[in-house]
Amino acid sequence: MSCDFHALATPGVQRLHPYEPGKPMEELERELGIRDVVKLASNENPLGPSPRALQAIQAHLPELARYPDGNGYVLKQALSHRLDVPAEQLTLGNGSNDVLEFIVRVFATPAHEVVCSQHAFAVYPISSQSVGARVVSVPARDYGHDLQAMADAINERTCLVFIANPNNPTGTWVDADALAGFLERVPEHVLVVVDEAYREYVDEPDYPDCVQWLPAHANLVVTRTFSKAYGLAGLRIGYAVSNPQVADLMNRVRQPFNVNSLGLVAAAAALEDREHVERGLAVNRTGMRFLRDNLQRLGLQYIPSIGNFLTARMPRSGAEVYQALLREGVIVRPLGAYGMPDHLRISIGTEAENRRLVAALERVL
Ligand SMILES: *Cc1c(COP(=O)(O)O)cnc(C)c1O
């Protein structure tokens, strides 16, 4: 190769490290020549999609030659009704990852800074860096977002702040008082993105429902997803709720058909299946208790989590324990890329999956 394409890439992209996803089950099954791999690595719903979503997908299959409804009318109407916000405040994405990128592309340039927390979801720095913006990663406090320090980090170059509530991979969260105090300190021209990917799992009276705060805070953007509690990670569908002007701007950078038609019909059906979500939450509560009890029994420390995953500190390198668990046919998530080399993130699975994980962990340690 005579041309050094790396040297031609934009400076932001040159410095970028790609997102490291959870290892796919099929990959480990190929590598080990086994079949019954357990994956607790991507915080997916262990019960799978809602049966109603599957029916909607089946019914829509003959329409696949057609482009999807680029405006997602039916799903937006359903969300509008559910959330009690006008449809013009909604932006649909190919996963909420997509809408996070819209926000970055609308507001961030190489002259800007984006504030996020240490140990926060990796997509915020990756998206911001890819457009050349400077990422200001504020040291975490007890593994969670330090909102005081994040407010202090805002300056005249700041265009965006990302807050994951709860955060992945730590499971930490910010309460309504802390967030309200933070928003008071943020200048109106700085967008605050609150990522509520795990909100359905949260059972805390002081957890803020940020959609209700939108009328009072024009600079607030709330993102949510069908990938976690709704069990549709493979279909890639999420959304943002914002003020109508911000939604209009995001709509300008969106691909015309960014959300696929199966995702649209499945999400609308899943939204109506509250029983399925409730079953998932019950499995999560029981599994969370089981995992916490067993980590304690094994003498392992963990970060208290309000999501569908638990991050625990290993007695030796997390990467080593991760590799040893793979050989037991169990996939979890190593957190070296998050600056937590001794920790592993474990998604809560079904009872059988959780038992497999605990037994494997016991053998490995
Ligand atoms: C999983 C996750 C998302 C959701 O990603 P999708 O693109 O909607 O699948 C968003 N934010 C956080 C913090 C997550 O952990």
Side-chain angles (χ1 to χ4, degrees), residues 249-326:
L249 291 163
M250 288 199 274
N251 196 38
R252 298 179 192 199
V253 298
R254 183 177 69 76
Q255 281 180 40
F257 305 105
N258 62 323
V259 181
N260 72 81
S261 54
L262 298 183
L264 288 172
V265 295
L271 195 62
E272 299 310 318
D273 194 350
R274 295 192 198 218
E275 281 174 15
H276 185 71
V277 173
E278 285 301 324
R279 276 194 295 275
L281 302 193
V283 165
N284 192 62
R285 271 193 298 275
T286 312
M288 180 68 86
R289 212 175 304 125
F290 174 82
L291 193 57
R292 290 168 70 136
D293 289 350
N294 278 279
L295 291 175
Q296 230 151 24
R297 180 174 63 79
L298 296 174
L300 298 173
Q301 286 180 349
Y302 56 82
I303 305 168
S305 165
I306 62 167
N308 65 341
F309 56 89
L310 199 54
T311 289
R313 185 175 204 130
M314 298 296 120
R316 55 179 202 266
S317 138
E320 259 175 60
V321 178
Y322 166 70
Q323 289 295 339
L325 287 173
L326 287 183

Side-chain angles (χ1 to χ4, degrees), residues 8 32 85 96 100 103 145 185 189 191 211 229 249 257 282 313 348 356-357:
L8 297 176
L32 296 182
V85 295
S96 55
L100 295 171
I103 301 163
H145 290 41
R185 288 190 58 193
H189 65 272
L191 277 281
V211 166
L249 291 163
F257 305 105
R313 185 175 204 130
I348 309 298
R356 273 278 303 277
L357 173 273

